[in-house]
Amino acid sequence: MIITRTRKELDVALKNFSKNSEKLALIPTMGNLHEGHLSLIRIAKKHASKTISTIFVNPLQFGKNEDYDKYPRTHEDDIKKLNDEKCDILFLPVNNKEVFSNIEDIKTIHSGILGSELCGKIRPGHFDGVLTVVNKLFEIINPDVAVFGAKDYQQEILIRQMAVSLHPNIELIKAPIIRAENGIALSSRNNYLSEPELEMAANLYKALYHSAQSYKKNFDLKTIISEAKNYLISKKLIPHYFELRDHNLNKIDINQFEGKKVFLGSVTINNTRLIDNIEF
Ligand code: AMP
């Protein structure tokens, strides 16, 4: 794997690939890689001849009181994992300048109404920060394909919406959620939790799963949601939202909605906020 730490090094590596007309797939990450991230690389390899992964903890997507400073940075381990997966290029910028050049001048991409709902309601500005950096990475790298996880469902939809107008030639692929045995979605933030807390956190998945089953049986939607929230509280999780939406994240407040839909939930456990969803 070619490790690039600056834009210059990245450009050289990319030029060599474009000379050989390789099809390039991008997998953006913030590092602290786990099986969820690695599954994205495996999927990318099915859609392109070369893969490039980025590891960049994007300051623009963290709020003032969030975990930007303490976000786990495990570069040595990550490099080993990417090497084992035979990723072709890693862009691991030495500093923020290698991504943004001038952070004051950067073109902010606005995430609109959807960007202020669900996770965006709890994290104002978060999705503007995500879209701004993804747009930048798309501009710098210009991949043919980019892979994002369904774990961050709202993020994936917003990136898709942004790409329609700004990057119509990039094919976006949504990768399924990779879970631990107890159902919990793998996440770098799971590292903040103790073993007993991880067991407690698995109740978010249980609530989502149970709610999807109940909806299929045509139980009343309002009751399903209030029972799910009560269940989470009874398990000492603080729910922020628990909602049913269609697969594009339009609101659904009826029973027997025929199309593809998704239950999405977010909880806090001991100051760590976790998200999860189930599509059905
Ligand atoms: P992050 O490093 O958290 O920014 O995640 C980088 C990419 O990995 C995003 O597209 C995430 O949706 C994806 N991802 C994170 N966790 C998982 C998981 N458990 N299963 C599938 N994809 C994931």
Side-chain angles (χ1 to χ4, degrees):
M1 180 173 68
I2 304 165
I3 300 174
T4 61
R5 305 295 318 260
T6 63
R7 280 279 270 284
K8 255 195 193 149
E9 290 172 5
L10 175 65
D11 288 347
V12 171
L14 290 173
K15 250 190 205 135
N16 281 335
F17 280 0
S18 63
K19 258 194 242 150
N20 300 329
S21 337
E22 302 283 4
K23 190 169 175 189
L24 186 65
L26 166 67
I27 307 100
T29 82
M30 297 203 299
N32 192 236
L33 304 181
H34 50 64
E35 274 298 310
H37 297 111
L38 302 182
S39 75
L40 269 50
I41 297 185
R42 290 169 204 148
I43 289 171
K45 280 183 170 289
K46 293 189 182 144
H47 293 265
S49 52
K50 295 286 175 192
T51 48
I52 172 165
S53 183
T54 59
I55 295 180
F56 179 58
V57 184
N58 168 29
L60 301 180
Q61 71 186 69
F62 286 79
K64 261 192 198 144
N65 299 317
E66 292 186 346
D67 54 344
Y68 176 72
D69 288 329
K70 78 163 188 175
Y71 195 85
R73 288 158 172 90
T74 50
H75 296 166
E76 231 175 85
D77 229 48
D78 293 349
I79 289 170
K80 190 175 172 319
K81 286 178 182 167
L82 290 172
N83 255 322
D84 290 348
E85 290 302 323
K86 303 200 166 29
C87 180
D88 296 288
I89 306 181
L90 166 63
F91 180 43
L92 173 61
V94 274
N95 56 38
N96 297 345
K97 266 195 168 171
E98 297 297 334
V99 177
F100 297 123
S101 307
N102 181 354
I103 205 157
E104 264 86 57
D105 266 1
I106 187 152
K107 182 169 94 188
T108 300
I109 308 292
H110 296 285
S111 54
I113 293 174
L114 178 56
S116 61
E117 295 176 354
L118 300 165
C119 285
K121 201 166 178 179
I122 309 152
R123 308 183 72 185
H126 167 70
F127 287 114
D128 289 1
V130 170
L131 294 186
T132 300
V133 79
V134 172
N135 176 53
K136 197 76 207 163
L137 292 174
F138 282 180
E139 281 176 1
I140 300 171
I141 294 167
N142 192 21
D144 301 287
V145 175
V147 188
F148 295 91
K151 149 99 187 350
D152 298 278
Y153 198 98
Q154 188 177 8
Q155 165 176 290
E156 200 275 339
I157 296 282
L158 287 165
I159 291 170
R160 205 167 271 282
Q161 288 177 356
M162 185 247 319
V164 166
S165 54
L166 297 183
H167 302 279
N169 295 328
I170 301 179
E171 180 193 354
L172 297 187
I173 291 161
K174 181 161 79 170
I177 303 176
I178 305 296
R179 301 179 177 282
E181 249 171 55
N182 66 2
I184 189 171
L186 298 188
S187 163
S188 304
R189 289 195 169 96
N190 292 351
N191 284 336
Y192 299 149
L193 303 179
S194 64
E195 278 299 323
E197 285 168 343
L198 283 170
E199 281 308 314
M200 281 162 68
N203 287 302
L204 174 57
Y205 172 68
K206 284 187 193 148
L208 289 163
Y209 181 81
H210 184 74
S211 299
Q213 299 304 316
S214 301
Y215 189 84
K216 285 183 204 162
K217 290 183 195 148
N218 201 23
F219 292 174
D220 174 61
L221 177 59
K222 270 196 186 138
T223 313
I224 293 172
I225 289 176
S226 75
E227 283 183 1
K229 286 182 176 168
N230 287 337
Y231 173 79
L232 294 170
I233 292 165
S234 76
K235 299 294 178 186
K236 301 201 165 49
L237 303 174
I238 304 166
H240 297 289
Y241 62 76
F242 196 97
E243 288 193 28
L244 179 68
R245 299 235 173 169
D246 79 4
H247 73 295
N248 286 319
L249 293 183
N250 299 304
K251 291 182 183 171
I252 300 177
D253 51 13
I254 52 162
N255 277 89
Q256 293 187 319
F257 178 82
E258 297 264 320
K260 274 207 283 179
K261 48 208 165 289
V262 54
F263 267 110
L264 306 113
S266 161
V267 296
T268 290
I269 170 166
N270 193 13
N271 293 326
T272 297
R273 209 174 63 80
L274 301 176
I275 56 172
D276 199 354
N277 67 81
I278 285 188
E279 274 183 281
F280 62 107

